[in-house]
């Protein structure tokens, strides 16, 4: 008999409650693509937003009006590609994580297949169908050192391509387009020990299992020291975002491709949840589904937890400035 294990969905289909459909406003227009926000970090002093188009991350500082309204003032626009071709570079940044003094950003590490078009001939569409694009620019993890004024003073990068290629499970999916259940990184977080948690939207493995790579870095140089693989059964969904909280993490989940699946928020204790006879039944806890939207939820930021509820911010690809919205779910 096959072993099955899934997120506790006793309260499945509980909708998150929107508390504020415009969590903040901006003093001026963003300096980067405002319709493709893919990740965020919000601290008490600054905020960072990422877009999956182009090659930039924008930092913000807080402003407060006399009425107490929170406004973010766009600050430094960090270019992650200093080459002459930067204007045309798409790094596909999908996740951000912060632990002073470092801001981390990660690309999807994915490949893509050209879309078929109705105004093309069968021969042209066949060629498009047979073409898979591998873009090294997408295969980067960045570490950005910020000074006490939240200005970037150093940008370093490395690639997870070799780690993925040599991975016993993920290596089999490296050359498959992301929307076809290939490798697609979208979540990034950092634990109290400074280990990075890299969450995969795809592939979703048999048993409806998603993957997280936990990376331990060298202390004195930006280099991977060790990698541990964690497996999360997420009801057929992949990871769209991860945010630290105390204790554990909030995980935003959604479909690998265009499947008709809701976006869910899961509470995770940070432990491996691979199905087994000794697997913890409390590693994952379903919290709520997000209401349907015209956008695609891609970033999550934990705000606060009370005895009965948990609050977080969601930003969405396809909506202006990500339309940052505060939601709450019952615990």
């Amino acid at each position: 008999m096959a072993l099955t294990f899934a997120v506790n969905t006793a309260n499945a289909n509980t909708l998150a409650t929107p508390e504020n459909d415009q969590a903040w406003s901006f003093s001026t227009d963003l300096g980067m693509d405002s319709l493709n926000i893919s990740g965020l970090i919000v601290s008490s002093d600054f905020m960072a937003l990422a877009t999956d188009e182009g090659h930039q991350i924008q930092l913000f500082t807080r402003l407060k009006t006399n009425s107490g309204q929170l406004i973010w003032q766009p600050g430094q626009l960090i270019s992650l590609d200093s080459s002459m071709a930067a204007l045309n570079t798409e790094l596909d940044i999908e996740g951000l994580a912060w632990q002073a003094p470092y801001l981390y950003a990660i690309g999807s590490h994915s490949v893509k297949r050209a879309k078929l078009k109705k105004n093309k001939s069968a021969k042209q569409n066949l060629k498009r169908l047979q073409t898979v694009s591998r873009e090294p620019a997408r295969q980067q993890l960045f570490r950005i050192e910020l000074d006490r004024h939240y200005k970037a003073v150093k940008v370093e990068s490395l690639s997870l391509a070799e780690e993925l290629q040599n991975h016993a499970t993920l290596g089999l999916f490296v050359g498959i387009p992301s929307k076809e259940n290939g490798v697609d990184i979208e979540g990034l977080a950092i634990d109290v020990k400074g280990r990075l948690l890299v969450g995969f939207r795809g592939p979703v493995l048999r048993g409806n299992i998603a993957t997280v790579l936990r990376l331990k870095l060298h202390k004195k140089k930006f280099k991977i020291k060790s990698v541990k693989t964690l497996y999360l059964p997420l009801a057929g969904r992949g990871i769209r975002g991860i945010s630290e909280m105390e204790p554990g993490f909030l995980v935003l989940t959604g479909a690998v491709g265009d499947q008709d699946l809701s976006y869910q928020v899961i509470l995770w204790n940070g432990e491996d949840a691979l199905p087994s006879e000794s697997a913890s039944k409390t590693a994952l806890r379903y919290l709520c589904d997000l209401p349907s939207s015209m956008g695609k939820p891609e970033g999550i930021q934990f705000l606060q937890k009370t005895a009965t509820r948990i609050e977080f911010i969601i930003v969405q690809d396809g909506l202006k400035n990500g339309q940052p919205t505060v939601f709450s779910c019952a615990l």
Side-chain angles (χ1 to χ4, degrees):
M1 179 181 294
L3 180 66
T4 59
F5 185 81
V7 175
N8 179 2
T9 55
N11 297 316
N13 299 319
T14 299
L15 286 181
T17 303
E19 301 292 343
N20 186 335
D21 62 3
Q22 189 62 52
W24 58 69
S25 58
F26 297 97
S27 60
T28 61
D29 292 340
L30 305 191
M32 61 183 189
D33 187 341
S34 64
L35 290 177
N36 290 278
I37 301 301
S38 56
L40 82 160
I41 289 294
V42 181
S43 77
S44 58
D45 301 309
F46 87 108
M47 178 174 69
L49 289 180
T51 172
D52 57 15
E53 299 288 338
H55 58 279
Q56 296 170 316
I57 292 172
Q58 186 146 25
L59 304 183
F60 302 80
T61 54
R62 285 177 180 265
L63 290 176
K64 279 193 176 180
T65 64
N66 293 333
S67 62
Q69 180 185 7
L70 176 59
I71 297 176
W72 288 101
Q73 179 176 6
Q76 186 179 13
L77 194 61
I78 303 172
S79 175
L80 299 177
D81 186 346
S82 58
S83 71
M84 293 296 292
L87 291 177
N88 298 316
T89 301
E90 181 182 324
L91 301 182
D92 200 20
I93 298 299
E94 295 288 357
L96 297 175
W98 164 251
Q99 191 172 84
Y102 298 117
L103 176 66
Y104 296 89
I106 196 163
S108 66
H109 285 68
S110 64
V111 302
K112 61 183 181 181
R113 193 186 306 278
K115 293 180 180 180
L116 304 186
K117 296 188 176 182
K118 292 182 179 180
N119 63 347
K120 301 289 185 182
S121 68
K123 184 177 180 179
Q124 289 172 318
N125 271 336
L126 178 59
K127 184 176 181 179
R128 296 175 72 84
L129 189 65
Q130 295 172 338
T131 301
V132 173
S133 301
R134 293 173 172 82
E135 301 176 11
R138 293 168 170 247
Q139 300 180 356
Q140 297 183 83
L141 169 66
F142 295 91
R143 184 171 75 173
I144 307 155
E145 183 178 353
L146 303 183
D147 64 19
R148 62 189 183 91
H149 301 294
Y150 301 104
K151 299 287 187 181
V153 295
K154 187 177 182 180
V155 178
E156 301 171 275
S157 69
L158 59 81
S159 176
L160 302 184
E162 185 175 351
E163 298 286 348
L164 296 175
Q165 190 73 50
N166 295 330
H167 194 279
T169 304
L170 296 174
L172 301 173
F173 296 85
V174 165
I176 300 173
S178 56
K179 300 300 187 292
E180 299 171 22
N181 205 35
V183 164
D184 190 5
I185 294 172
E186 291 211 357
L188 187 65
I190 189 165
D191 67 15
V192 293
K193 295 182 179 181
R195 299 174 298 187
L196 289 174
L197 298 170
V198 178
F200 288 73
R201 176 179 175 179
V204 171
L205 307 174
R206 183 171 183 177
N208 292 330
I209 295 173
T211 307
V212 172
L213 294 185
R214 189 171 69 198
L215 310 180
K216 185 176 182 180
L217 302 173
H218 284 272
K219 290 184 178 180
K220 295 185 178 181
K221 53 186 174 181
F222 187 42
K223 191 174 182 180
I224 297 172
K225 184 175 182 180
S226 64
V227 180
K228 182 176 177 60
T229 307
L230 309 175
Y231 296 99
L232 310 185
L234 297 175
R237 294 166 174 82
I239 295 169
R240 303 299 299 268
I242 311 176
S243 179
E244 308 88 354
M245 57 176 289
E246 184 58 44
F249 304 86
L250 286 180
V251 182
L252 172 64
T253 72
V256 173
D258 299 322
Q259 303 96 321
D260 187 18
L261 291 174
S262 62
Y263 293 90
Q264 295 186 341
V265 178
I266 307 296
L267 189 60
W268 175 42
N269 68 3
E271 298 176 2
D272 184 25
L274 180 70
S276 71
E277 59 184 6
S278 60
S280 169
K281 299 299 187 292
T282 59
L284 298 167
R285 178 183 172 188
Y286 167 89
L287 291 178
C288 54
D289 281 37
L290 295 180
S292 59
S293 167
M294 296 298 291
K296 297 179 180 179
E298 291 212 358
I300 185 168
Q301 170 69 56
F302 167 74
L303 289 180
Q304 64 177 343
K305 183 176 79 168
T306 68
T308 59
R309 303 193 70 80
I310 189 165
E311 287 190 358
F312 51 90
I313 295 173
I314 295 290
V315 290
Q316 302 190 48
D317 189 346
L319 301 181
K320 187 174 182 181
N321 298 332
Q323 193 173 313
T325 302
V326 176
F327 288 95
S328 69
C329 291
L331 285 171

